[in-house]
């Protein structure tokens, strides 16, 4: 479908809905604020789907329209920028800039990958290393950029084994995307989900609780995906030969030492990162907000005496556009909930659908949503408010439903344009990587596997960890 046809279809659908909402008798029981909110929501969603207009611009326009018309107050719109989750992400990027500056990632890669002796060992050690980066670098695009030099080193070392290089090119973005669910700061969509849950239900999912629920899923799904990539992208003959990746080969693609004695800056940064992650995990004990812990860490990381990066340089790495997008979509979520629009949208659902079928539908829709909405944050902005409202109607725990939707929406591997990490590894000068056909073959196997795994966790693992399927 060309962009012109897609845009026309999306706009026609949105305008048709807006015209119907403008007629008072068409949707009885729907108030004026709810009608306007639905119209704005429909137009914003169609703009995200069918137009090249920047996602943040669309979200800010929607938030402004809802504020000017009085659906939400200006305090609600601007107050979202002061939300603790926004500050958590800002400070996490400052910490990530400090880690990147020191070169700790290269040392970790050399340590882990250098121990591989077989193709399968290389695949799963690389997967383990990529999962760990979720704790150091927020946002999947940042982790992809950090991992690119490691991939280049592996690709050069395996230059005579083309299928293995293609397999690794698929492995890196696949694991980066699926392992993001490990931490609250793994993707902006997670912070949107937490904010929607808080506004709609009063349930606060903290860093520790997300870690407890998300890390096991991230580890299992990442290694399952690694095995899937290995089996679909290579043949038996490709997997039988030995491999040997030396630290010197990784060093050629790193401007920081990956072996030898640690510098003082590296020691300070490793100690700081370890302390921050420990304090995040210990939130139930000390009751200090993760955002406050992150702010303390960011101040230390950028301090003249103890830091490893200047504050101005660190702040340049913060994705301010993403933060504005998050703030605006949080305000849209508040409008959907408070105006009654979300409740009306899901009011027609059958009351006896059952928790398991409900979760299965939510996960299936969330898994497929990347085919329509490329932005992970936009998918959560559209889906999570509706999922939370529908969960209450269906007798399902809103926290379980929202987490399942967000985790399933992490799958976005079908097309090169589906996610930034996939696009980044699709075209690397001088390196043979994957084709769209390779992605489709992988997605045909991996999509149902990851959806089934999320459903399995939602109905068996998460209830054992304190998040039951039903309230």
């Amino acid at each position: 479908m060309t962009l012109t046809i897609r845009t026309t279809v999306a706009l026609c659908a949105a305008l048709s809905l807006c015209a119907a909402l403008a007629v008072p008798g068409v949707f009885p029981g729907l108030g004026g604020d709810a009608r306007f909110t639905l119209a704005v929501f429909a137009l914003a969603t169609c703009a995200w789907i069918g137009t090249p207009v920047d996602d943040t611009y669309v979200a800010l326009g929607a938030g402004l329209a809802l504020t000017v018309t009085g659906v939400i107050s200006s305090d609600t719109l601007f107050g979202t920028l002061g939300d603790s989750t926004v500050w958590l992400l800002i400070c996490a990027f400052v910490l990530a800039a400090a880690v990147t500056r020191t070169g700790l990632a290269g040392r970790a890669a050399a340590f882990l990958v250098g121990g591989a002796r077989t193709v399968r060992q290389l695949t799963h050690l690389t997967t383990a290393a990529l999962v760990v980066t979720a704790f150091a670098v927020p946002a999947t695009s940042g982790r992809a950029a950090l991992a690119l030099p490691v991939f280049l080193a592996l690709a050069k070392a395996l230059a005579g084994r083309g299928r293995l290089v293609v397999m690794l090119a698929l492995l890196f973005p696949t694991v980066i995307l699926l392992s993001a669910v490990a931490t609250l700061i793994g993707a902006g969509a997670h912070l949107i989900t937490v904010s929607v849950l808080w506004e709609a239900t009063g349930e606060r999912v903290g860093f520790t609780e997300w870690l407890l629920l998300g890390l096991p899923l991230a580890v299992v799904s990442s290694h399952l995906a690694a095995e899937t990539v290995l089996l679909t992208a290579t043949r038996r003959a490709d997997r039988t030969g030995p491999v040997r990746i030396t630290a010197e080969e990784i060093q050629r693609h790193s401007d920081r030492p990956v072996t030898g004695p640690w510098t003082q800056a590296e020691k300070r940064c490793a100690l700081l990162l370890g302390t921050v992650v420990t304090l995040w995990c210990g939130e139930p004990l000390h009751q200090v907000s993760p955002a406050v812990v992150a702010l303390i860490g960011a101040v230390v990381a950028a301090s003249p005496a103890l830091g490893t990066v200047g504050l101005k340089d660190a702040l340049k790495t913060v994705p301010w556009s993403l933060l504005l997008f998050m703030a605006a979509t949080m305000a849209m979520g508040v409008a959907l909930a408070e105006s009654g629009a979300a409740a009306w949208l899901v009011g027609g659902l059958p009351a006896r659908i059952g928790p398991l079928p409900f979760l299965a539908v939510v996960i299936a829709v969330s898994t497929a949503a990347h085919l329509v909405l490329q932005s992970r944050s936009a998918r959560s902005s559209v889906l999570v408010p509706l999922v939370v409202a529908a969960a209450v109607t269906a007798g399902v725990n809103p926290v379980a439903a929202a987490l399942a939707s967000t985790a399933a929406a992490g799958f976005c591997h079908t097309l090169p344009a589906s996610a930034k990490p996939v696009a980044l590894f699709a075209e690397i000068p001088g390196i043979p990587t994957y084709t769209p056909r390779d992605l489709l073959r992988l997605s045909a196997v991996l999509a149902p596997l990851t959806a089934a795994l999320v459903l399995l966790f939602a109905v068996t693992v998460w209830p054992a960890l304190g998040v039951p399927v039903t309230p």
Side-chain angles (χ1 to χ4, degrees), residues 55-323:
D55 290 346
T56 301
Y57 187 85
V58 173
L60 288 174
L64 181 61
L66 293 169
T67 303
V68 170
T69 54
V71 177
I72 57 174
S73 66
S74 58
D75 289 341
T76 299
L77 177 64
F78 297 128
T80 54
L81 275 174
D83 191 271
S84 61
T85 55
V86 173
W87 279 93
L88 173 62
L89 195 60
I90 292 173
C91 297
F93 270 98
V94 174
L95 286 167
V99 172
T100 303
R101 181 67 62 90
T102 60
L104 284 174
R107 284 189 181 272
F111 174 76
L112 285 171
V113 178
R117 296 295 178 268
T118 67
V119 173
R120 183 162 272 108
Q121 283 183 351
L122 175 64
T123 301
H124 287 281
L125 285 174
T126 301
T127 298
L130 291 172
V131 171
V132 171
T133 62
F135 294 90
V137 181
T140 54
S141 56
R143 292 168 62 204
L146 184 68
L148 185 59
V150 178
F151 167 74
L152 292 174
L154 296 177
K156 293 295 184 183
L158 299 169
R161 305 170 72 176
R163 289 186 185 275
L164 292 187
V165 175
V166 172
M167 182 274 292
L168 288 172
L170 283 168
L171 178 69
F172 272 73
T174 296
V175 174
I176 286 170
L177 290 167
L178 292 180
S179 62
V181 75
T183 71
L184 182 59
I185 61 172
H190 302 168
L191 305 180
I192 292 172
T193 298
V194 168
S195 175
V196 170
L197 280 171
W198 172 250
E199 295 289 347
T201 67
E203 294 278 352
R204 174 71 75 180
V205 179
F207 185 93
T208 305
E209 186 176 4
W210 191 289
L211 182 69
L212 180 66
L213 300 169
L215 181 57
L217 175 60
V219 171
V220 175
S221 63
S222 295
H223 284 281
L224 177 65
E227 197 65 26
T228 304
V229 170
L230 184 62
L231 294 176
T232 57
T234 62
R235 298 171 181 170
R236 183 182 295 273
D238 302 317
R239 300 189 291 270
T240 55
V243 296
R244 175 65 174 167
I245 309 297
T246 65
E248 289 73 20
E249 288 169 324
I250 296 178
Q251 181 67 75
R252 294 192 194 105
H253 297 273
S254 175
D255 57 354
R256 303 286 178 180
V258 299
T259 58
W262 285 36
T263 65
Q264 289 299 317
E266 288 174 326
K267 291 177 181 178
R268 291 197 305 270
C269 189
L271 178 61
L272 175 61
L273 182 62
T275 302
V276 168
V277 173
T278 301
L279 290 174
W280 278 341
C281 296
E283 180 190 359
L285 298 177
H286 53 68
Q287 297 297 313
V288 179
S289 166
V292 174
V293 171
L295 182 57
I296 295 171
V299 169
V300 174
S303 65
L306 301 175
T308 59
V309 65
L311 184 59
K312 288 184 178 180
D313 292 334
L315 290 177
K316 290 177 183 177
T317 67
V318 177
W320 298 106
S321 179
L322 172 62
L323 296 177

